[in-house]
Amino acid sequence: MTGRIPQAFIDEVVGRSDIVEIIGARVPLKKAGREFKACCPFHNEKSPSFWVSPDKQFYHCFGCGAHGTSIGFLMQYEKMEFLDAVTDLAQRAGLELPREALGPRDAGGPDLHGIMGKIARFFEQNLADNARARKYVGARGIDAKTAANFALGYAPDSWDALLNRFGPQEEDRRQILQLGMIIERDTRGGERAAGFYDRFRDRLMFPIRDSRGRVIGFGGRIIDQGDPKYLNSPETPLFHKGRELYGLYEARQARADFKRLMIVEG
Ligand SMILES: [Zn+2]
């Protein structure tokens, strides 16, 4: 079950996680002696038979038999894959995932993160080369240092700038399609020739980075007028909108002693 992650690492992740905090963030827990209890989130009940033990770092339901560690809870409650649950908890605890854990999912196959990183640099270079886009950034009150910290870029006013640069071969094209950077033309009705075009055009580009700093998607704001005003990457193998918090990586990098953090939606 544990795949290629050493058992010692899994034990450390569990040991360094606070199961009361993990479960308490999702299920209202009541203190009961040295343990905590709640109505079980995994079966329907009126009186609590779901117990969480901070000492033993596991949960147990006397009603339905649900039982496990914080890893098991995330898998059962959040429907996470084992590796995602371990990764999530390891990141919270500030633990680096061992190389073996990156196993078959990241190794082999195309380097999608690498491609996204190259695309981000392509946009950055375009911003540096485009006076109109740079002027827009300045007009919005973003200085050069902030723009660099957030790796802002510019998607050229073109239907195929990215397509030509990153997808001349069919295999590359398939990858950037999978990454949501190009769109396949709708040929129903037969009016248009088959083909692809760039999703982001004439937009100020904000790379969306995961908590490890890897580019996984983009948000694009139209320069001047156009619809839609904001356009984001679709869900892709790398980008899952509901799991990311834009700016988290950058905030960590700043290593500032924040007295207050404001988190906004929208
Ligand atoms: Zn239960």
PDB file of all heavy atoms in Angstrom, residues 40-43 45 49-50 61-66, ligand 1:
ATOM      1  N   CYS A  40     -19.925  10.898  13.942  1.00  0.00           N
ATOM      2  CA  CYS A  40     -19.040  10.344  12.911  1.00  0.00           C
ATOM      3  C   CYS A  40     -19.331  10.943  11.535  1.00  0.00           C
ATOM      4  O   CYS A  40     -20.478  10.984  11.104  1.00  0.00           O
ATOM      5  CB  CYS A  40     -19.230   8.827  12.870  1.00  0.00           C
ATOM      6  SG  CYS A  40     -18.210   8.051  11.614  1.00  0.00           S
ATOM      7  N   PRO A  41     -18.290  11.418  10.845  1.00  0.00           N
ATOM      8  CA  PRO A  41     -18.495  11.957   9.498  1.00  0.00           C
ATOM      9  C   PRO A  41     -18.696  10.858   8.450  1.00  0.00           C
ATOM     10  O   PRO A  41     -19.007  11.157   7.307  1.00  0.00           O
ATOM     11  CB  PRO A  41     -17.200  12.734   9.231  1.00  0.00           C
ATOM     12  CG  PRO A  41     -16.169  12.077  10.091  1.00  0.00           C
ATOM     13  CD  PRO A  41     -16.888  11.543  11.295  1.00  0.00           C
ATOM     14  N   PHE A  42     -18.513   9.604   8.857  1.00  0.00           N
ATOM     15  CA  PHE A  42     -18.575   8.512   7.870  1.00  0.00           C
ATOM     16  C   PHE A  42     -19.849   7.671   7.961  1.00  0.00           C
ATOM     17  O   PHE A  42     -20.067   6.800   7.148  1.00  0.00           O
ATOM     18  CB  PHE A  42     -17.339   7.610   7.999  1.00  0.00           C
ATOM     19  CG  PHE A  42     -16.050   8.379   7.851  1.00  0.00           C
ATOM     20  CD1 PHE A  42     -15.125   8.415   8.885  1.00  0.00           C
ATOM     21  CD2 PHE A  42     -15.784   9.087   6.685  1.00  0.00           C
ATOM     22  CE1 PHE A  42     -13.947   9.147   8.756  1.00  0.00           C
ATOM     23  CE2 PHE A  42     -14.606   9.816   6.555  1.00  0.00           C
ATOM     24  CZ  PHE A  42     -13.694   9.848   7.593  1.00  0.00           C
ATOM     25  N   HIS A  43     -20.651   7.893   9.001  1.00  0.00           N
ATOM     26  CA  HIS A  43     -21.973   7.264   9.008  1.00  0.00           C
ATOM     27  C   HIS A  43     -22.945   8.213   9.712  1.00  0.00           C
ATOM     28  O   HIS A  43     -22.529   9.168  10.377  1.00  0.00           O
ATOM     29  CB  HIS A  43     -21.932   5.867   9.640  1.00  0.00           C
ATOM     30  CG  HIS A  43     -21.992   5.846  11.141  1.00  0.00           C
ATOM     31  ND1 HIS A  43     -20.882   6.034  11.934  1.00  0.00           N
ATOM     32  CD2 HIS A  43     -23.029   5.664  11.989  1.00  0.00           C
ATOM     33  CE1 HIS A  43     -21.221   5.955  13.204  1.00  0.00           C
ATOM     34  NE2 HIS A  43     -22.537   5.739  13.273  1.00  0.00           N
ATOM     35  N   GLU A  45     -25.387   9.499  12.372  1.00  0.00           N
ATOM     36  CA  GLU A  45     -25.695   9.201  13.772  1.00  0.00           C
ATOM     37  C   GLU A  45     -26.083  10.467  14.523  1.00  0.00           C
ATOM     38  O   GLU A  45     -25.737  11.575  14.127  1.00  0.00           O
ATOM     39  CB  GLU A  45     -24.510   8.516  14.458  1.00  0.00           C
ATOM     40  CG  GLU A  45     -23.261   9.367  14.559  1.00  0.00           C
ATOM     41  CD  GLU A  45     -22.148   8.676  15.333  1.00  0.00           C
ATOM     42  OE1 GLU A  45     -22.350   7.520  15.741  1.00  0.00           O
ATOM     43  OE2 GLU A  45     -21.100   9.290  15.531  1.00  0.00           O
ATOM     44  N   SER A  49     -20.088   8.719  18.351  1.00  0.00           N
ATOM     45  CA  SER A  49     -19.316   7.517  18.654  1.00  0.00           C
ATOM     46  C   SER A  49     -17.974   7.542  17.917  1.00  0.00           C
ATOM     47  O   SER A  49     -17.310   6.528  17.776  1.00  0.00           O
ATOM     48  CB  SER A  49     -20.117   6.257  18.302  1.00  0.00           C
ATOM     49  OG  SER A  49     -20.729   6.384  17.052  1.00  0.00           O
ATOM     50  N   PHE A  50     -17.613   8.740  17.455  1.00  0.00           N
ATOM     51  CA  PHE A  50     -16.360   8.923  16.723  1.00  0.00           C
ATOM     52  C   PHE A  50     -15.358   9.584  17.672  1.00  0.00           C
ATOM     53  O   PHE A  50     -15.597  10.672  18.186  1.00  0.00           O
ATOM     54  CB  PHE A  50     -16.638   9.814  15.501  1.00  0.00           C
ATOM     55  CG  PHE A  50     -15.442  10.135  14.652  1.00  0.00           C
ATOM     56  CD1 PHE A  50     -15.005   9.248  13.678  1.00  0.00           C
ATOM     57  CD2 PHE A  50     -14.764  11.346  14.791  1.00  0.00           C
ATOM     58  CE1 PHE A  50     -13.916   9.548  12.873  1.00  0.00           C
ATOM     59  CE2 PHE A  50     -13.673  11.655  13.982  1.00  0.00           C
ATOM     60  CZ  PHE A  50     -13.261  10.748  13.024  1.00  0.00           C
ATOM     61  N   CYS A  61     -14.181   4.935  15.095  1.00  0.00           N
ATOM     62  CA  CYS A  61     -15.625   5.052  15.264  1.00  0.00           C
ATOM     63  C   CYS A  61     -16.177   3.727  15.771  1.00  0.00           C
ATOM     64  O   CYS A  61     -15.995   2.694  15.135  1.00  0.00           O
ATOM     65  CB  CYS A  61     -16.291   5.435  13.944  1.00  0.00           C
ATOM     66  SG  CYS A  61     -18.083   5.415  14.090  1.00  0.00           S
ATOM     67  N   PHE A  62     -16.839   3.786  16.931  1.00  0.00           N
ATOM     68  CA  PHE A  62     -17.425   2.567  17.505  1.00  0.00           C
ATOM     69  C   PHE A  62     -18.721   2.187  16.789  1.00  0.00           C
ATOM     70  O   PHE A  62     -19.242   1.109  16.991  1.00  0.00           O
ATOM     71  CB  PHE A  62     -17.651   2.748  19.008  1.00  0.00           C
ATOM     72  CG  PHE A  62     -16.365   2.816  19.778  1.00  0.00           C
ATOM     73  CD1 PHE A  62     -15.784   4.052  20.081  1.00  0.00           C
ATOM     74  CD2 PHE A  62     -15.701   1.659  20.162  1.00  0.00           C
ATOM     75  CE1 PHE A  62     -14.574   4.114  20.770  1.00  0.00           C
ATOM     76  CE2 PHE A  62     -14.497   1.718  20.856  1.00  0.00           C
ATOM     77  CZ  PHE A  62     -13.932   2.952  21.150  1.00  0.00           C
ATOM     78  N   GLY A  63     -19.225   3.113  15.959  1.00  0.00           N
ATOM     79  CA  GLY A  63     -20.457   2.827  15.232  1.00  0.00           C
ATOM     80  C   GLY A  63     -20.208   2.057  13.942  1.00  0.00           C
ATOM     81  O   GLY A  63     -20.801   1.006  13.703  1.00  0.00           O
ATOM     82  N   CYS A  64     -19.304   2.587  13.123  1.00  0.00           N
ATOM     83  CA  CYS A  64     -19.112   1.968  11.801  1.00  0.00           C
ATOM     84  C   CYS A  64     -17.735   1.345  11.636  1.00  0.00           C
ATOM     85  O   CYS A  64     -17.437   0.744  10.604  1.00  0.00           O
ATOM     86  CB  CYS A  64     -19.350   3.003  10.693  1.00  0.00           C
ATOM     87  SG  CYS A  64     -18.096   4.289  10.607  1.00  0.00           S
ATOM     88  N   GLY A  65     -16.884   1.517  12.629  1.00  0.00           N
ATOM     89  CA  GLY A  65     -15.578   0.881  12.562  1.00  0.00           C
ATOM     90  C   GLY A  65     -14.520   1.663  11.793  1.00  0.00           C
ATOM     91  O   GLY A  65     -13.405   1.184  11.614  1.00  0.00           O
ATOM     92  N   ALA A  66     -14.873   2.863  11.328  1.00  0.00           N
ATOM     93  CA  ALA A  66     -13.870   3.693  10.646  1.00  0.00           C
ATOM     94  C   ALA A  66     -12.695   3.910  11.594  1.00  0.00           C
ATOM     95  O   ALA A  66     -12.894   4.151  12.784  1.00  0.00           O
ATOM     96  CB  ALA A  66     -14.481   5.032  10.239  1.00  0.00           C
TER      97      ALA A  66
HETATM   98 ZN    ZN B   1     -18.838   5.915  12.005  1.00  0.00          ZN
END
